[in-house]
Amino acid sequence: MATIEVTDLAISFPLYHGDARSLKKTVRRSLDGKLSGRFTQDRRERVLVQALKGVSFSLQRGERLGLIGGNGAGKTTLLRALAGIYEPLEGQVLVQGRIGALLDTSLGMNDDMSGRENIRLRGLFHALGEVAIQEIERDVETFADLGPFLDLPIKTYSSGMRVRLAFGLATAIMPQVLIMDEWFMAGDASFRERAKQRMIGLVEGAEILVVSSHQPEIMQEWCTRLLWMDQGRVRMDGPTEDVLDAYLSTAG
Amino acid sequence: MNRIERPEQIHPETVTGDSPAAPLQDAGARALRAEIGVNGPEPVMDLRPERGLAHSVHAIKDTRDGFRLFRLGWTLGWLDIKLRYRGSMLGPFWMTLSTAIMVGAMGFLYAALFNINLRVYLPFLSFSLILWGYLNSAVSEGCSTFTGSVGLIHALRMPFSVHVLRVTIRGLLTFLHSAAVVAIVFVIFGIAPRLNWEAPAGVLLWLADMYAITLLFGVLGARFRDMPPVSASVMQILFFVTPIIWKPDLIFIGRQYLLLDPCYPLVEIVRGPLMNQEVRPSIWLAAVAYSGLLWVAAFALFSRMRTRLAYWV
């Protein structure tokens, strides 16, 4: 059974921008000036950006969680932490079930490879056999509806085509926990409708969806629960309508 | 939960959309998708800050999982090479051709300059050069093992060892393309490898070292952007210090210091047996000792920094 359990999660990024990242600076470790707010320093005097702090929540099967909040509120970082990409510095992330992640626009696909090659790679990543990979290839081909583009390098795709391929691929492996960033809404209306059909199949099958978005309509349509992120912390957690009302009244 | 039921749960939902794109309509496909669904036990991902031994345990697990995805690493490495030459006429055989040109030109030039017999010198030079090319690429491409895979690292959780494997395999395949030239040179000059334990042992040790070098420089390169130029200049010096374009029996004074250069024993344990030359026990000993040090260093750094890699790249 798919569950997500996040306890007191904190994530911060060391800032190695420009020359601060070089050996010279590490050797010299000269750092002055006052730092405040979300910037802190660790004991080795590195500048840290506090991306998430004290985030706790748990999700049961069938829940569809939306993450809402302004730019830099920590939505994408939280999604990445749920996908196991950023391992926590404090706290714990416990996810049961196969994870499907649609995070980056590039989706870990290689731009120079064709759509078909990328599908094969994803199959190999999931340690699938030849028959299963061919099946996935067919499934994604039908869903993404790319026609001859499937055999062309991904860099020739429009953003809509890219999203269709990525979405088809991420859902083809039947994830029990689907984690999506807001960009996937880049598809046109007919794609969104088809995506929804496919999603319903996954989510109603007692699985979990976590999605981040700026758009209130999408939240209303897709989510049963909202988490309002602000400055890396959870500001509000509750049913979609309640959180959305509070959020919109602050933002508007 | 019996997951074989899942396709049935999904089925009624998906067929409601009568667009041709609705998946899972065909019974055979559904059965297969069920097979995908029940593939292995339900994974549990439990992440928390690592304390004490957890660093090493997780690093070992990462390595093990990475090698389980060997096919993925292999395909990625091979596709890297294919893509590099996509659209060119000779494809990856450009590597073969450019090696042939370089070996041919340098062989005749140096044989004339150093006044050495071509029959002795050309096989030595050609094999040494491509071995060094392999070692050099493990260092230089190793630096971008993780920084070059940012897209993948930030898109899905996968063992970091897969990226190391990818670069190691890319290096091996490049080497094999050039090795064709050396094989031809060996045939022309009648050189056969020594048929005992030494050749396979040397090659295995070499491959393990290439993996460790890629891992070590991958982690360092992810953290320090100065690594590529620094390592390139060190390798440049080592190229001239190590007996690559000159034979070790050319010098008499200072021969005992040769073993201080870690590249020399590593190259020699592959080159010696394959060129049917005796490898002294002291060279074997040094090679094993240097390899051990390298593995320990690479593994220790990887265990310590594995969880940070995604933050750095």
Side-chain angles (χ1 to χ4, degrees), chain B residues 134-135 138 164 168 205-215 294:
Chain B
Y134 190 3
L135 179 66
V164 183
T168 313
L205 198 63
W206 171 271
L207 287 176
D209 286 340
M210 290 304 113
Y211 181 88
I213 287 175
T214 310
L215 179 62
L294 174 67

Side-chain angles (χ1 to χ4, degrees), chain A residues 15 30-41 45-48:
Chain A
L15 208 59
S30 57
L31 203 133
D32 42 31
K34 287 214 162 183
L35 299 153
S36 59
R38 289 172 81 191
F39 296 98
T40 50
Q41 280 180 313
E45 298 194 337
R46 288 176 303 195
V47 186
L48 296 179

Side-chain angles (χ1 to χ4, degrees), chain B residues 15-39:
Chain B
V15 288
T16 51
D18 58 355
S19 72
L24 310 174
Q25 282 181 337
D26 151 323
R30 238 185 309 138
L32 259 168
R33 302 285 303 287
E35 190 189 307
I36 297 162
V38 293
N39 196 354

Side-chain angles (χ1 to χ4, degrees), chain B residues 197-240:
Chain B
W197 60 272
E198 282 187 301
V203 169
L204 272 182
L205 198 63
W206 171 271
L207 287 176
D209 286 340
M210 290 304 113
Y211 181 88
I213 287 175
T214 310
L215 179 62
L216 180 69
F217 283 90
V219 177
L220 289 173
R223 173 64 184 81
F224 300 109
R225 298 302 152 110
D226 310 83
M227 263 338 266
V230 169
S231 59
S233 51
V234 171
M235 290 306 283
Q236 184 76 44
I237 298 165
L238 284 175
F239 174 70
F240 292 109

Side-chain angles (χ1 to χ4, degrees), chain B residues 50-71:
Chain B
E50 297 179 331
R51 309 235 183 285
L53 267 181
H55 287 291
S56 312
V57 174
H58 291 166
I60 292 170
K61 197 173 164 296
D62 184 289
T63 312
R64 198 192 57 203
D65 292 347
F67 276 88
R68 277 199 190 136
L69 292 175
F70 187 82
R71 277 169 67 219

